[in-house]
Amino acid sequence: ACAALRADPGVVGLPSRLSVFGPTRLPADQIAVLSALGGHRDVHLWLPHPSPTMWDAVAAADRGPAPMPRRAAPPGVGRNPLLASLAREARETETRLVPIADRDVLHPVPGGPGTLLGRLQATVAADLPLAADPAAVADGTIEFHSCHGPARMVEALRDRLVRAFEDDPTLAPRDVLISCPDIETFAPLVRSAFGTEAGPAGTGAESGGETGGSHPATALRVRLADRSLRFINPVLDVVATVLDLADARVTVTDVLDLAAAEPVRTRFSFGSADLERLREWAGASGARWGLDAASRERFRLGGFKQNTLSVALDRILLGVAADETESEWLGLALPLDDVDSGDVDLAGRLADFLAALTGAAHACDGERSAAAWGRLLVGVVDDLTAVPAADAWQSTQARRELSAALEHGGDRVLSLSDVRAMLTARLAAKPTRANFRTGELTVCTLVPMRSVPHRVVVLLGLDDEVFPRGTRFGGDDVLGREPLVGERDPRAEDRQLLLDAVMSATDRLLVYFTGADPVTGTARPPAVPASELRDATALLLGVPPGERVAGLDIRHPLQPFDPVDFAAGSATGYDAAAYAGAVASLETAQPPDPFLPRPLGGSREDIDLDALARFCEDPVAAFLRQRLGIRLPKLDEELSGAITVAPDGLQRWDVGERMLTAALTGIPYETFVATEVRRGTLPPFALGDAVLSEVAADVAMLAAAFADLTATPPQTVDVAIDLGDGRRLAGSVAGVRGDVLTSASFSRLKPGRRIAGWVRLLALAASDPGRGYRAELVGKGRFRGAAVSSLRAPDDPVAVLAELADLRDRGLREPLPLFPTASAEYVSRLHRGDPPHLALDAAAVAFRDRFGDHTDPAIGYALGADAWVEGSRPPAPDEAAWAGDTAGATGPGGPATTRFAAMALRMWGPLIRHERLR
């Protein structure tokens, strides 16, 4: 009709009688079109209205000249508080329509007059003041549900709907409408809580949760309406994401997230294992942000190419052909040492993906015609996405939407921001007839034309600061300074939508909001319009506004397995798994089963030297890894999206460890710096020079301890020792300079390094008894300076190795209470002459220290929170005998009285006697 009116004022071809159906509120421009149409044809307007009485009052009121300032508009209503607060949009629409209308409007029919909901609707329709009604009772037709956050709202709603279907067999899912201010917040929660979700209209596809489950609601079919096309069509989401990245920093996380999108995964054949491998490469190659140096120009960092995706890709591709070395590189790329032969194909696919993304991002620079933008975006669809044959509609729809968004641009020159704004408006969530009134349980956004009468209307997520929408006017918005009647006001529109939803419910109205913070439990009020609705209902019941009413106000517990949900007479919980949890929570807590009820069996096999050294470093972790094959999961470290400016302690240690190794192996400092720059671990420009200077000072201090040993090049010695019980200990010892085993680290000289060096020294001495081997272990001191551990080999190293091998045999049968730091502290204190009880106290302090043994995840996993108590148990007879000859040698300790003490003496006693710390 509008197009015909613009083309021909005579509106040739339009019927003589035209009926128009609309929402409660009509924008001013639509009213102007209707007025123009009315001059040519008989136009009948049909729209819902909350109150005939208010219509008559507004129609009879004196109106000023049009357009009328909003502040000068007559109130038109004054008795019912809900009409006064929520119906301003309906009043303004009527004010604009009355001059051109000669017909009444279509009024909604209130619900059953005998219910609380029906009585409230009747007072609104008749514009009556709210007063206590003796016949009004909280009969469940209006309910206000207070929950702990959106997820809990959906769980509570799921149980409430199941109960409603159970109480009324005539109620069907198509009779229920769920409206929420923000559909995208609740859509994934609804999909996970309910059953299958029907696919996009016309596709026949289905997605969502499985039909099975422990909750009856999993049998319901849910249809989500009004969703953004970005969420419905993954191909369009990829295109929109590329446009967002075109002028952004483009962090490595952004790129990996884009690679994980389903159309991109299909296009480049990225599997789940491939994505995890790409994540590993991203961290190892030093990728941070920026596609290449050109993309950093707008941030004035074009001269710093390190940490870009292109340099990281060069490192990966070079790693296919070469290993990482300290003196070989190509340009700014240092070969990555973590590329296996089986990764060649993945590296090629990664190169194709980054090339397509970089080309698309650079192509978005500058301005071009709308037609050229259309071809560019279609090219993004072709180059970066692919879909299976069953989902071919996604690509077709993407091309159609992109063309439609730009078809009216013609030869007009557009920038990236223009195209992004146009596409955002095109893809935004909007109300449509699709996915609505289809027979399933419908979840939609709170917009006009969603107030079609339903038996059950659910308002989900009426939280403060979310509903109603905020009104923000720009500084140059002249219209916002003096708004006129009929102009847009999002907050007033949302209030009108709430009133329309109240009037459209025929049987029940359920309002859900966040009444308590899900983390702290702090009480939170609902949105102001929801509070006004609740207070109006309370006045009808004759209850003060702040007083809680049974049957009207329902507070849900924090967890779905709270016994309150399953108490007698409540019957609000229907989840079998949650019921089992509620039953378990009422039972007496039982101690957990022991990690290992009894020791495992053992086998006497040859021992690898490195395995023995790792066991002595951390016996409990070795039990999990070497015997059970368990590698404890570590929290995934988030990939950094920022260039390092001030390295933390771990980053400084990485640089220092590599610098110390280079210094001790004779690599020139300049070569090391060039390699480190290409590795991408240093801050840019002068900041990196400052870090290198600080680290170099510490490295020089540590290297000085080896000043008399660096003249001899390090060698690796193979060893094979007969332990005397039919087994052999075999392996290789690196860092041997002449007769001295050397080991230097940029970290502190901790007990684990000392005991590992001791084991390797024993192996060297046992393999060549007449050589006179010794060990020099260097690390940082506790406070300042270098710490050196000088070890000399015992007279009978094979016997000591046999004792350590026996400890390992026991430690592979069960986790031993042998804690590295605490045991070293205990034996050291005894060696200095401390009484056993004071030495044990010092060991307990070391165990519970901030960085002590109790922080070891392996100890906590295998021995639990009572690990120290486990070590305090009396030793077995053969374990107590271990302290017989070592007690006198280590101090006036006497026989060991705990398992921890006996094992600590056996492992650390020989080392402490042959060690000199300085």
Side-chain angles (χ1 to χ4, degrees), residues 11-27:
V11 287
V12 178
L14 287 180
S16 60
R17 178 185 176 90
L18 185 65
S19 296
V20 181
F21 296 84
T24 302
R25 181 197 183 280
L26 290 179

Side-chain angles (χ1 to χ4, degrees), residues 295-496:
S295 65
R296 284 186 177 176
E297 287 292 347
R298 64 174 62 95
F299 303 100
R300 299 183 180 180
L301 275 176
F304 187 74
K305 301 179 181 179
Q306 289 81 356
N307 305 120
T308 60
L309 273 298
S310 63
V311 173
L313 177 62
D314 290 342
R315 292 198 62 191
I316 295 171
L317 296 179
L318 282 177
V320 173
D323 294 331
E324 181 176 330
T325 64
E326 296 291 344
S327 58
E328 294 183 3
W329 52 77
L330 182 61
L332 279 178
L334 181 73
L336 184 64
D337 205 21
D338 191 24
V339 183
D340 301 329
S341 58
D343 296 327
V344 176
D345 179 65
L346 177 59
R349 285 181 278 132
L350 173 62
D352 292 340
F353 166 63
L354 289 180
L357 176 60
T358 303
H362 288 331
C364 292
D365 289 340
E367 298 179 344
R368 52 177 53 82
S369 65
W373 276 109
R375 292 191 295 271
L376 172 61
L377 297 184
V378 171
V380 172
V381 173
D382 296 335
D383 295 340
L384 280 169
T385 67
V387 294
D391 295 330
W393 64 270
Q394 297 178 5
S395 298
T396 303
Q397 184 188 41
R399 293 183 176 90
R400 182 175 65 247
E401 293 293 336
L402 294 174
S403 300
L406 298 167
E407 64 180 354
H408 299 298
D411 295 331
R412 182 175 300 173
V413 177
L414 303 175
S415 65
L416 174 61
S417 58
D418 298 330
V419 173
R420 195 157 49 200
M422 296 173 61
L423 194 60
T424 299
R426 185 79 184 182
L427 303 184
K430 56 180 69 70
T432 61
R433 289 178 294 174
N435 295 341
F436 193 72
R437 300 292 291 180
T438 57
E440 290 93 359
L441 190 66
T442 303
V443 183
C444 65
T445 188
L446 196 59
V447 293
M449 291 305 292
R450 285 296 179 258
S451 299
V452 179
H454 283 74
R455 292 183 60 185
V456 177
V457 174
V458 180
L459 301 177
L460 189 63
L462 297 190
D463 295 340
D464 198 18
E465 299 181 357
V466 175
F467 180 86
R469 292 167 291 173
T471 302
R472 297 181 180 178
F473 295 104
D476 57 350
D477 187 356
V478 180
L479 297 179
R481 300 176 184 174
E482 186 64 40
L484 303 180
V485 171
E487 292 181 346
R488 299 292 302 270
D489 184 355
R491 296 185 69 84
E493 290 177 16
D494 285 353
R495 286 176 170 269
Q496 182 67 56

Side-chain angles (χ1 to χ4, degrees), residues 100 283 758:
I100 63 174
W758 170 251

